[in-house]
């Protein structure tokens, strides 16, 4: 029963690395992947900003090659209920051609089996969902801010 007074605003704490799980990078097209993180609880949390991104081998996520992240679009806080999901889209400058490929800039392509996505203060090492490698030209990646998603 209410007495007409507004209900108090419940403020969620920032998400911690222990709360968030990411399992893979879903490839959309050549050079584009979507990374989804899930709040595994025990309480709602707020996720802000953009991820960090690095290329890595199959070993330790700490042994990686950081990429410059170019922010795409506006960033705002995303409140995640327990079980709630947020996504970020990463866009790499693609490698052109077949097999060995090439970069339009003339630089040598980079190829790695995994990326390390930094979120809530921790790096999550992810492989592409199609079992391939990440291949890119240059040392940067474009990333959208995390956004809430239903799926």
């Amino acid at each position: 029963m209410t007495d007409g007074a507004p209900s108090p605003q419940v403020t969620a704490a920032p998400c911690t690395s222990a709360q968030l799980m990411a399992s893979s990078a879903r490839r959309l097209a050549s050079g584009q992947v979507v990374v989804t993180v899930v709040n595994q609880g025990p309480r709602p949390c707020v996720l802000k900003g953009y991820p960090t991104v690095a290329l890595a081998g199959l070993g330790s996520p700490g042994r990686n090659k950081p990429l410059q992240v170019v922010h795409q679009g506006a960033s705002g806080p995303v409140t995640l209920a327990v079980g709630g999901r947020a996504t970020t889209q990463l866009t790499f400058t693609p490698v052109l051609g077949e097999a060995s490929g090439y970069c339009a800039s003339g630089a040598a392509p980079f190829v790695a089996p995994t990326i390390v996505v930094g979120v809530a203060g921790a790096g999550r090492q992810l492989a592409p969902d199609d079992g391939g490698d990440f291949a890119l030209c240059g040392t940067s990646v474009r990333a959208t801010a995390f956004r809430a998603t239903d799926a």
Side-chain angles (χ1 to χ4, degrees):
M1 184 167 206
T2 68
D3 59 6
S7 58
Q9 216 31 307
V10 176
T11 307
C15 295
T16 66
S17 59
Q19 285 179 276
L20 298 178
M21 188 274 300
S23 59
S24 74
R26 183 173 49 91
R27 198 175 311 267
L28 296 178
S30 176
Q32 291 184 323
V33 295
V34 170
V35 174
T36 302
V37 296
V38 180
N39 178 4
Q40 295 203 304
R43 62 188 59 81
C45 65
V46 175
L47 182 60
K48 294 181 183 178
Y50 303 84
T52 60
V53 183
L55 296 175
L58 294 174
S60 167
R63 297 184 57 126
N64 62 58
K65 176 184 174 45
L67 298 174
Q68 176 189 1
V69 177
V70 178
H71 298 171
Q72 299 290 294
S75 170
V78 177
T79 301
L80 297 175
V82 174
R85 298 171 183 268
T87 61
T88 181
Q89 182 174 319
L90 307 177
T91 304
F92 302 97
T93 302
V95 174
L96 305 171
E98 300 289 325
S100 59
Y102 66 95
C103 296
S105 67
F110 292 101
V111 178
T114 65
I115 57 174
V116 178
V117 177
V119 57
R124 303 288 186 224
Q125 190 168 9
L126 304 170
D129 65 345
D130 63 6
D133 287 333
F134 293 99
L136 67 139
C137 294
T139 57
S140 66
V141 59
R142 293 181 304 280
T144 64
F146 284 100
R147 300 195 187 324
T149 184
D150 295 332

